[in-house]
Amino acid sequence: QVQLVESGGGLVQAGDSLRLSCQASGRTLGNAAMGWFRQAPEKEREFLATISWGGRNTYYADSVKGRFAIARDNARNMVYLQMNNLKPEDTAVYYCAARTSLIISYRAVEYDYWGQGTQVTVSS
């Protein structure tokens, strides 16, 4: 069993940066692919980024490519999402997810564990 807790969300202005963190407990993340998703009101959950267990492979949604960066520190059981040049349309609840597989995925249904989410609000 894996517990995930996101932090780092908040209210920022357009153009600002935020760094989200995801702390895992209960089990090492060393053999799990990780992902970040978000969900805005009345919208479906949207894939943002994923990273392989060793950190060597990453994949991003087109909507955030070049602005967001995913990273992980397996020694600390942490996953991060650096978000730059934030836009009002980035406003959403952001979720960290773990997949008990070495292979990255952009499909939410393929993730086994989810955090409770952290709110990011970007004002114009």
Side-chain angles (χ1 to χ4, degrees):
Q1 194 75 8
V2 174
Q3 292 81 43
L4 303 172
V5 178
E6 302 94 337
S7 62
L11 172 62
V12 297
Q13 293 187 332
D16 285 351
S17 297
L18 273 178
R19 186 197 195 202
L20 303 184
S21 299
C22 174
Q23 173 72 66
S25 61
R27 176 179 168 178
T28 178
L29 290 180
N31 59 353
M34 300 295 296
W36 283 96
F37 294 77
R38 68 186 178 191
Q39 188 164 18
E42 300 182 359
K43 291 190 176 181
E44 293 187 356
R45 191 162 294 192
E46 176 190 11
F47 164 77
L48 299 176
T50 180
I51 187 167
S52 61
W53 69 275
R56 197 177 306 181
N57 296 320
T58 58
Y59 180 71
Y60 295 91
D62 288 343
S63 59
V64 303
K65 196 176 298 182
R67 295 192 300 127
F68 290 11
I70 189 171
R72 66 190 297 165
D73 183 343
N74 288 340
R76 291 181 170 83
N77 268 356
M78 295 289 295
V79 181
Y80 306 97
L81 185 68
Q82 177 66 42
M83 305 187 296
N84 299 323
N85 190 23
L86 284 162
K87 305 175 182 180
E89 52 263 43
D90 293 319
T91 295
V93 177
Y94 284 67
Y95 297 92
C96 170
R99 179 168 188 247
T100 52
S101 169
L102 302 180
I103 302 172
I104 59 175
S105 173
Y106 61 87
R107 297 186 175 92
V109 294
E110 294 184 354
Y111 284 80
D112 304 292
Y113 302 100
W114 293 83
Q116 293 298 308
T118 184
Q119 176 71 46
V120 173
T121 303
V122 185
S123 63
S124 56

